[in-house]
């Protein structure tokens, strides 16, 4: 007598409900990205978005088909994957150097405050940076840049901005390299090269290389955290597991001090472990009980916690006891500032009366609450709490839900990630960068980036350049293809539907949860499209897996059709 099928395990239910939620969220955001403009500074019509997507898809498929041909040739060669990847990244760093040489410039807003403060602090016995006093959350990156400038001074590098931009470019290049290796280890060479195709325009050759700030400096930290976490859970020996866990703790500490959004990586890890806790035995090791898996997990967590505490506490002790840079924490902006900013809806109107809305981004009024609060952290905290209460009552449940939905759409709507939107805006006539010229360096003044002052590369990348629309169309199309791949990467793991959830650590689930957790966290804090920059490689990795599964599915479908046709022919 056959047994009646029992209820599906709790792990399977939670996995499927969560996966469907993530899939639906990214599918809605993809439709919004392509068909409904929600850009902060550029009116991009639906037909133009669709054309961007079609052209980018055509280029992507062409590159993939060409890669199949060249891949066969490379298999016959003696070059390994890592050798080819290292050579490709090396050549692209040469391109980065050339681009930096032509477009590197001194920027304003927070990067300018950070860089200038770090540089000037080297030449005074005691130096106070008002920007750092207000935003001590930037203490880690400030001292890191200060240390870089100290090295520059010792080895004779005079152009500090260019040097820092090149270091930033190297970090972005390194992030792509590390993630490409991670993708190769998980899903094979095809997925790795698809990732690399996306990473070249979106990461390696992005003009954000000339904006040295936490958005891009956090990119290699996120890449390292993902690499070490996956390595710790896949390692075969105890020594390797502990080593990877310790390194992930260091990466977590650095990421937390750079930009706390790194919490999204570890929130994703927590969900994966929670599902693993419900899923029973480890796949492929039937004799190994879940108890062994959790012992390893706890040991890794303990090792990571210790290294996190050592790194974090060590830096705090250094920053507190050093006496060259004076930091006045009594006037610091409290953490409630980011929640207050995260509830603001603002807009700007250009000369053509186009309206650009921004959700949860900088507001002069909210920023001025600090100056109206007697310049004390405690009173600033109270002012921001009062504003959050006011905003919640003003919105009401339905309108606040609509605000969060529009915020998610805005954050993910731009493949250029709010380029030019900070401290200048991308509208005609607004200063963004100081032109690299003898006059500007001598006068030390803001110079408008009008076309006459630009070389070709400046006019191609600067927000007000004559040819910037070409770059915007390229990355806009590539971002749409990447996002479509993310949707595919969330769709294919659901099938076959009756398949049980993977036992133990699931790296595929871990990676595809990170973008979701990141966007979810950004909904309730100050945010902008540029805050995604450090996680663009994660999006590209999930997308590469999605497109690889798509090509495998299409190839398998074609083979099944051929087999069916052959069977019919033979039977006839």
């Amino acid at each position: 007598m056959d047994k009646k099928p029992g209820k599906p395990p709790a792990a399977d239910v939670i996995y499927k409900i969560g996966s469907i939620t993530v899939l639906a969220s990214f599918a809605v955001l993809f439709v919004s990205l392509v068909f409904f403009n929600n850009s902060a500074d550029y009116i991009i019509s639906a037909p133009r978005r669709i054309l961007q997507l079609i052209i980018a898809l055509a280029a992507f498929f062409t590159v993939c088909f060409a890669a199949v041909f060249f891949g066969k040739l490379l298999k016959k060669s003696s070059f390994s994957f890592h050798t080819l990847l290292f050579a490709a990244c090396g050549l692209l760093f040469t391109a980065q150097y050339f681009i930096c040489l032509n477009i590197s410039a001194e920027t304003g807003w927070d990067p300018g405050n950070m860089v200038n403060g770090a540089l000037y602090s080297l030449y005074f016995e005691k130096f106070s940076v008002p920007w750092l006093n207000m935003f001590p959350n930037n203490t880690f990156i400030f001292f890191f840049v200060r240390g870089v400038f100290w090295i520059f001074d010792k080895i004779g590098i005079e152009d500090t901005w260019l040097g820092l931009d090149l270091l930033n470019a190297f970090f972005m290049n390194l992030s792509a390299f590390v993630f490409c290796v991670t993708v190769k280890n998980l899903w094979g060479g095809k997925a790795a090269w698809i990732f690399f195709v996306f990473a070249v325009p979106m990461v390696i050759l992005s003009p954000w290389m000339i904006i040295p700030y936490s958005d891009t400096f956090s990119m290699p930290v996120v890449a390292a955290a993902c690499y070490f976490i996956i390595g710790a859970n896949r390692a075969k020996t105890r020594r390797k597991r502990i080593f990877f866990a310790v390194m992930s703790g260091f990466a977590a500490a650095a990421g937390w001090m750079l930009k706390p959004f790194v919490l999204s990586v570890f929130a994703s890890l927590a969900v994966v472990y929670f599902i693993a806790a419900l899923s029973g035995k480890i796949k492929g090791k039937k004799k190994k009980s879940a108890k062994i898996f959790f012992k390893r997990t706890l040991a890794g967590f303990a090792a990571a916690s210790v290294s996190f505490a050592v790194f974090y506490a060590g830096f705090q002790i250094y920053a507190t006891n050093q006496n060259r840079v004076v930091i006045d924490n009594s006037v610091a902006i409290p953490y409630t500032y980011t929640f207050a900013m995260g509830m603001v809806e603002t807009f700007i109107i250009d000369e053509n009366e186009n309206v650009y809305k921004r959700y949860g981004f900088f507001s002069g009024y909210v920023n001025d609450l600090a100056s109206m609060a007697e310049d004390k952290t405690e009173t600033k905290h109270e002012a921001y709490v009062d504003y959050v209460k006011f905003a919640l009552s003003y919105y009401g449940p339905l309108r606040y839900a609509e605000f969060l939905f529009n915020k998610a759409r805005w954050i993910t709507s731009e493949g250029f990630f709010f380029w030019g939107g900070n401290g200048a805006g991308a509208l005609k006539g607004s200063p963004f960068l100081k032109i690299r010229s003898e006059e500007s360096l001598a006068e030390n003044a803001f110079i408008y980036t009008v076309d006459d002052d630009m070389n070709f590369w400046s006019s191609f990348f600067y927000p007000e350049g004559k040819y910037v629309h070409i770059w915007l169309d390229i990355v806009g199309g590539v971002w749409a293809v990447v996002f479509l791949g993310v949707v595919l990467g969330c769709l294919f793991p659901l099938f076959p539907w009756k398949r049980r959830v993977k036992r133990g650590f699931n790296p595929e689930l871990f990676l595809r949860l990170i973008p979701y957790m990141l966007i979810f966290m950004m909904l309730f804090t100050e945010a902008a499209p540029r805050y995604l920059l450090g996680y663009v490689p994660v999006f590209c990795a999930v997308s590469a897996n999605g497109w690889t599964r798509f090509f495998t599915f299409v190839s398998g479908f074609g083979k099944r059709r051929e087999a069916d046709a052959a069977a019919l022919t033979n039977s006839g």
Side-chain angles (χ1 to χ4, degrees), residues 31-164:
V31 171
S32 173
L33 187 157
V34 176
F35 296 100
F36 304 98
N37 176 75
N38 204 38
S39 175
D41 293 296
Y42 300 90
I43 293 296
I44 304 176
S45 64
R48 183 172 176 180
R49 284 278 198 187
I50 295 170
L51 183 61
Q52 288 177 350
L53 175 60
I54 292 173
I55 294 174
L57 276 173
F60 172 60
F61 290 145
T62 301
V63 170
C64 287
F65 290 137
V68 171
F69 172 74
F70 286 108
K72 293 178 180 179
L73 295 178
L74 291 174
K75 282 184 178 179
K76 298 177 181 179
S77 70
S78 58
F79 297 110
S80 67
F81 169 84
H82 292 85
T83 301
L84 292 171
L85 179 62
F86 185 83
C89 288
L91 288 173
L92 286 167
F93 184 72
T94 304
Q96 288 177 304
Y97 174 80
F98 178 79
I99 292 172
C100 281
L101 206 59
N102 283 275
I103 72 171
S104 176
E106 183 177 344
T107 64
W109 53 290
D110 289 349
N113 288 323
M114 176 196 68
V115 171
N116 290 326
L119 183 61
Y120 297 152
S121 69
L122 290 175
Y123 303 105
F124 295 88
E125 289 188 6
K126 286 185 179 288
F127 191 79
S128 179
V129 183
W131 170 81
L132 191 60
N133 293 334
M134 290 186 65
F135 300 102
N137 58 297
N138 291 298
T139 302
F140 180 72
I141 190 174
F142 177 88
F143 278 102
F144 173 79
V145 172
R146 188 176 185 272
V148 170
F149 286 161
W150 181 83
I151 295 173
F152 284 179
D153 183 62
K154 296 300 179 183
I155 63 179
I157 295 178
E158 297 181 359
D159 195 334
T160 51
W161 272 100
L162 178 59
L164 194 61

Side-chain angles (χ1 to χ4, degrees), residues 347-364:
F347 66 90
I348 57 175
I349 304 175
D350 68 6
E351 66 272 14
N352 297 319
E353 298 187 356
N354 294 314
V355 179
Y356 306 94
K357 288 190 175 182
R358 300 172 177 180
Y359 302 89
F361 186 59
F362 180 85
S363 163

